[in-house]
Amino acid sequence: MDFRTQLGSELPALRRFARALTGDAALADDLVQDCVERALNKSHLYDPARPLRAWLYAVLRNIYISGLRRSGRASVVKTVDELSDGEGAVPPAQEEHLSAGSVAQALDRLASQHREVIVLVALEEMSYRDVAEILGVPLGTVMSRLSRAREHLRRILEDRGHTVLRRVK
Amino acid sequence: MTTNKIDDWALHAYVDNEVSGEQRAEIEELLRANPELAQRVEEWRRQGELLKHAYDGVLAEPLPRSLAATLRSGGSLSARPYLAMAAALALLLLGGFGGWFLAMETEHSHVADFAGRALSAHAIYAAEVRHPVEVRADEKDHLQTWLSKRVGTAFTVPDLTAQGYTLLGGRLLAAGDRPAALLMYEDAKADRITIFLSAAAENTDTALHVEQRGNLTACYWRDGKLAFAVAGEMPREPMMKLAEAVYDAFEG
């Protein structure tokens, strides 16, 4: 299968990743657009022995991060310290399932380093090895970030009374 | 109870299917003995489900036009060498598969778009336990009339009982800005296949194309006014055989 066709079949997943990474549909689509452009121009840099999806995610994430730096929007990238507990608080949802919007809001409260790792592992189901390559960090860093990300997300969801733990009893 | 860092990592690795065999069995034993840890693992799984619930809808969205255009013609590299390579590869793959001729496909993105939509629709709807279809097979006549009308070309819902599949029903979907029909069938083991069809962009016939994503395979072709894709969780070869039967069923 040629590169363009392979690339095309990865687009739905790439769009999902961009949406979850940024939490902004318009920004996500711009990123995917730039990513496809760059992937087509730089396809010689892709190692076919590695999953195409992981390569595309790495390309997209790099564009996202360098865009934030360039436009001086680095403040958008939250660090753990900057997040106070009250930030982004919304009234607890009443329904059994969290709405897509409130999951997005919960994700928004994570530090960007935590957000990207949990999106890659728990939503995109990438292997730790692929995640380490995408983020350009050692495996141990992936695991410690993942552990903190899950713990933080648990606390955020718990604040809203949406824990499995409570319901199980 | 507190666990040290290594234990915590092992639990994450377990949830994320990064451990197998003996180690997996050991962790499962640990979880049976320790409900608190088991609940933590459940909570992490639930986080994954919530994320999928929130974002999987994106998979079924039609691609923005600008994106489809970039995929088709973006990049400074010429598409030609790729086309020649794809054609050579397709010839190899299609060897021995009688009845199909290999046309030089100049608009690869249409194929990728359509097959991608068929794969996404399959992934999302075939997994539905309670509401896999909008109109059930017991209203087959209505299903056929309704979907033919919406798609804009009359078609017959194929009978695939000879292939071991019974009709579950169908639903209306979008393929970009066009209405599309999704027909779902199930075999005796409850494995499902879907047929995705919509009005074709151009009134031309094409050869069979195969598109794979994970365990899913889709076969796509255009025939006159309609574009068809058959999708299911099976390898390339049986899917191509099935696609040929579906093609015959639509022709007949």
Side-chain angles (χ1 to χ4, degrees), chain B residues 211-250:
Chain B
E211 191 75 28
Q212 291 187 292
R213 188 192 295 165
N215 297 329
L216 297 182
T217 306
C219 285
Y220 159 93
W221 69 94
R222 271 205 310 256
D223 188 12
K225 290 180 183 167
L226 291 173
F228 301 85
V230 187
E233 197 174 334
M234 66 174 86
R236 177 182 289 267
E237 293 302 320
M239 180 48 84
M240 283 166 72
K241 281 215 168 60
L242 182 64
E244 195 172 28
V246 172
Y247 173 85
D248 287 344
F250 276 114

Side-chain angles (χ1 to χ4, degrees), chain B residues 120-153:
Chain B
S120 299
H122 183 89
I124 288 163
Y125 292 107
E128 273 293 319
V129 178
R130 291 186 58 194
H131 310 291
V133 294
E134 258 176 297
V135 176
R136 295 181 172 276
D138 50 16
E139 287 183 273
K140 187 178 166 186
D141 289 345
H142 165 65
L143 177 71
Q144 195 163 291
T145 315
W146 171 54
L147 291 177
S148 291
K149 205 168 153 191
R150 292 310 311 270
V151 167
T153 302

Side-chain angles (χ1 to χ4, degrees), chain A residues 1-2 4-5 9 12 15-16 19 33 37 40-41 43 121 125 127-128 146-147 150 154 164-165, chain B residues 8 12-13 16 18 39 46-47 52 56 61 66-67 70-72 74-77 82 89 108 211:
Chain A
M1 203 187 293
D2 72 294
R4 220 174 267 266
T5 309
S9 64
R15 292 185 73 231
R16 176 181 60 185
R19 190 82 61 92
Q33 180 85 27
E37 193 81 52
L40 287 169
N41 283 325
S43 60
V121 172
E125 297 184 331
S127 71
Y128 291 172
L146 176 65
S147 176
R150 277 181 166 149
R154 189 188 64 77
V164 180
L165 307 185
Chain B
D8 183 57
H12 285 286
D16 300 320
E18 294 272 339
Q39 278 189 337
R46 162 115 172 124
Q47 290 179 358
K52 290 191 187 94
D56 273 358
E61 290 176 8
S66 55
L67 185 57
T70 303
L71 180 69
R72 190 158 53 239
S76 57
L77 298 172
Y82 290 113
L89 188 67
H108 271 253
E211 191 75 28

Side-chain angles (χ1 to χ4, degrees), chain A residues 3-147:
Chain A
F3 185 77
R4 220 174 267 266
T5 309
Q6 272 190 64
L7 180 58
S9 64
E10 296 295 355
L11 290 186
L14 192 61
R15 292 185 73 231
R16 176 181 60 185
F17 172 57
R19 190 82 61 92
L21 183 70
T22 63
D24 178 328
L27 173 61
D29 274 340
D30 285 350
L31 280 172
V32 173
Q33 180 85 27
D34 289 352
C35 176
V36 166
E37 193 81 52
R38 194 175 293 188
L40 287 169
N41 283 325
K42 309 268 182 186
S43 60
H44 57 283
L45 296 178
Y46 165 60
D47 170 10
R50 307 287 304 135
L52 177 61
R53 187 173 294 184
W55 184 68
L56 293 172
Y57 285 7
V59 171
L60 186 135
R61 177 184 171 269
N62 287 340
I63 297 172
Y64 177 49
I65 288 179
S66 58
L68 289 177
R69 282 198 198 112
R70 224 188 4 259
S71 64
R73 285 168 63 198
S75 58
V76 176
V77 182
K78 298 181 194 113
T79 64
V80 183
D81 299 339
E82 284 165 4
L83 290 166
S84 67
D85 279 338
E87 186 184 345
V90 292
Q94 298 300 312
E95 68 273 33
E96 173 73 12
H97 285 290
L98 281 171
S99 70
S102 57
V103 174
Q105 282 172 339
L107 214 47
D108 242 8
R109 293 186 54 199
L110 292 179
S112 54
Q113 285 182 341
H114 291 170
R115 178 185 192 134
E116 62 187 10
V117 84
I118 205 166
V119 164
L120 285 166
V121 172
L123 174 65
E124 301 297 336
E125 297 184 331
M126 307 295 275
S127 71
Y128 291 172
R129 182 191 164 191
D130 286 342
V131 175
E133 277 190 17
I134 292 167
L135 303 181
V137 297
L139 210 56
T141 308
V142 170
M143 298 202 68
S144 56
R145 281 184 193 170
L146 176 65
S147 176

